[in-house]
Each structure stands twice: as structure tokens, then as C-alpha cells.
Amino acid sequence: MEINHLSYTEAIQRLDVILEDIDQSRVPIDLLAERVVEAAALLKRCKSVLTETEAKVRDVLQDLETDFGEGNDPAR
């Protein structure tokens, strides 16, 4: 599974499964470190997606403010 290509929803779902398995002691000790590493990578992916989304929304809002903000009213 290539974590960097997962959507936010897919990453969160996988993270939920890992955390539930760990919480319920369903992860064999031999795989625990591997699951923790995977969980950390999933968290990084989620943060990356959120950061990218925030930047895109900020850019759109700035463009809208430039186009339609106060002082740019063509009716005046």
C-alpha cells in the first residue's frame, strides 16, 4: 500500500483499523512496531492533505477577496 497516494478518508480509515487493533490487543507483538510505523506514516499523510487543502482554500478566498472585496465594487 502506497501511503502517499491515499486519500484523506482512506488514510483515516486505515489508521482507525490499526488503532482499534492495537487497542484491542489484536496485533501480535512481532507486528506491533510495523503497525506503529505505518500509523505514523498515515498521520503524516493526513497532515499533508490537510495542509494542502488549507493552502488551496486560503488561495481561493484571497482571490475572491481581490475580485469581490471592499473597494472593488464596480457599482460604486
Side-chain angles (χ1 to χ4, degrees), residues 5-76:
H5 291 95
L6 292 178
S7 69
Y8 180 84
T9 301
E10 292 168 331
I12 285 291
Q13 288 172 344
R14 177 63 182 146
L15 187 57
D16 283 342
V17 168
I18 291 170
L19 294 176
E20 179 68 21
D21 286 349
I22 290 171
D23 187 51
Q24 298 298 318
S25 300
R26 292 187 293 236
V27 177
I29 195 71
D30 297 332
L31 297 177
L32 183 59
E34 181 181 318
R35 292 298 184 268
V36 170
V37 169
E38 183 181 359
L42 289 163
L43 285 170
K44 287 179 185 178
R45 174 63 183 153
C46 290
K47 181 180 178 188
S48 173
V49 171
L50 288 171
T51 301
E52 290 172 19
T53 301
E54 179 185 30
K56 288 177 186 175
V57 169
R58 189 178 328 110
D59 289 346
V60 169
L61 292 175
Q62 286 175 348
D63 288 346
L64 289 172
E65 182 64 30
T66 299
D67 293 343
F68 301 106
E70 287 187 40
N72 293 325
D73 187 358
R76 291 183 185 196

